[in-house]
Amino acid sequence: MMLCRQCTRRLIFGHSRKIENFKPNLIISRSFRSSLYTEEIFNWKTSCDVAFYSVFFFCGFYYVDNKFLSVTAVSGRSMQPTINPDDLPQKDWVFLDRRPQWNHKSVQRGDIVTFKTTRDPNSIYVKRVVGLEGDIVTTLGYRKRSVLVPAGHCWLEGDNHLASDDSNKFGPIPMGLITARATHVIYPVTRWQHLPRKFPHSRVKINPGCNDDQVWDLEQV
């Protein structure tokens, strides 16, 4: 079978043009698939980064909140007029220093602390430190007129004795139940203030071995 030159030329160049027209489509198809694959990797990596930093931030916040610094709202009237005075409808929010829960020696007479009660471990109370171990406290309505605070314990009272469930009902509180020290009222903004140490000088005979010289200068509670 003989082919003319024109037919041969058409056959050769026709297929050549088809191949030339096909190659770019093949290249574009491969490039498109490659871009999709790259985008999937990028999205997966971004999602992992977001998840990692979210978990890292949450764990860091939880650790700081439970071990060092925290903020909480205080309800009730037991610490009036120092906290939640009658003339304001909002609850006071206080700044908490968490160090006393792992360093009991940082707790001082006159501090305002938060603690768990032996009656209800899920409840957190806010009271003032009236006595530490070795102190003799004249009580207010307790079953004993005076109490020698035992080792590893403290005596805690609310500033508003008529509305306070404290050591005058519970007795001495183990130091291990203290969770934080309240240092400032931070909200409402008009109430922003430092919470000063105060002490009932007339009702407490301080342990002779006490080395807290500042206690004698504290304001009467």
Side-chain angles (χ1 to χ4, degrees):
M1 182 177 176
M2 299 293 293
L3 293 176
C4 65
R5 290 183 178 179
Q6 187 175 2
C7 293
T8 304
R9 189 174 298 174
R10 287 179 181 177
L11 181 62
I12 295 174
F13 290 104
H15 286 294
S16 178
R17 281 195 295 269
K18 288 181 180 180
I19 293 174
E20 289 175 358
N21 292 336
F22 176 76
K23 283 183 178 180
N25 294 334
L26 179 62
I27 295 173
I28 292 173
S29 177
R30 289 178 178 175
S31 177
F32 179 71
R33 288 199 301 269
S34 177
S35 65
L36 287 179
Y37 180 71
T38 304
E39 184 177 355
E40 289 177 0
I41 294 177
F42 177 77
N43 290 337
W44 178 81
K45 186 176 183 300
T46 302
S47 300
C48 288
D49 289 343
V50 171
F52 172 78
Y53 286 116
S54 298
V55 172
F56 180 80
F57 175 79
F58 175 79
C59 292
F61 176 80
Y62 181 83
Y63 182 78
V64 171
D65 183 70
N66 283 271
K67 295 294 184 180
F68 295 100
L69 306 172
S70 185
V71 174
T72 190
V74 179
S75 60
R77 300 183 297 117
S78 67
M79 286 301 295
Q80 289 180 343
T82 307
I83 299 176
N84 290 339
D86 280 330
D87 57 341
L88 289 177
Q90 303 102 324
K91 295 179 181 179
D92 280 351
W93 286 72
V94 297
F95 186 81
L96 300 179
D97 176 3
R98 293 286 188 183
R99 286 178 297 174
Q101 70 180 342
W102 45 267
N103 181 12
H104 300 154
K105 292 183 179 180
S106 66
V107 177
Q108 297 179 297
R109 295 168 182 84
D111 284 343
I112 297 177
V113 297
T114 62
F115 67 101
K116 299 177 181 179
T117 69
T118 53
R119 294 184 178 183
D120 184 7
N122 294 322
S123 297
I124 302 294
Y125 284 59
V126 180
K127 308 296 177 187
R128 191 180 297 277
V129 179
V130 170
L132 296 176
E133 61 178 64
D135 294 347
I136 299 177
V137 181
T138 300
T139 65
L140 299 172
Y142 189 57
R143 54 189 174 86
K144 295 182 179 179
R145 177 60 179 167
S146 62
V147 172
L148 173 64
V149 181
H153 289 67
C154 59
W155 191 268
L156 306 178
E157 293 181 355
D159 289 357
N160 183 6
H161 301 297
L162 298 179
S164 178
D165 290 336
D166 50 35
S167 286
N168 288 299
K169 292 186 178 181
F170 307 146
I173 304 295
M175 295 293 290
L177 295 181
I178 293 178
T179 59
R181 179 194 298 108
T183 61
H184 294 79
V185 175
I186 62 172
Y187 184 84
V189 177
T190 54
R191 290 269 300 141
W192 184 288
Q193 61 179 299
H194 171 68
L195 293 173
R197 294 171 59 194
K198 296 182 180 181
F199 190 72
H201 297 275
S202 60
R203 295 177 40 232
V204 181
K205 183 178 180 181
I206 296 177
N207 181 355
C210 168
N211 57 2
D212 185 6
D213 296 333
Q214 295 180 354
V215 70
W216 308 111
D217 300 325
L218 297 180
E219 180 182 349
Q220 176 75 25
V221 65

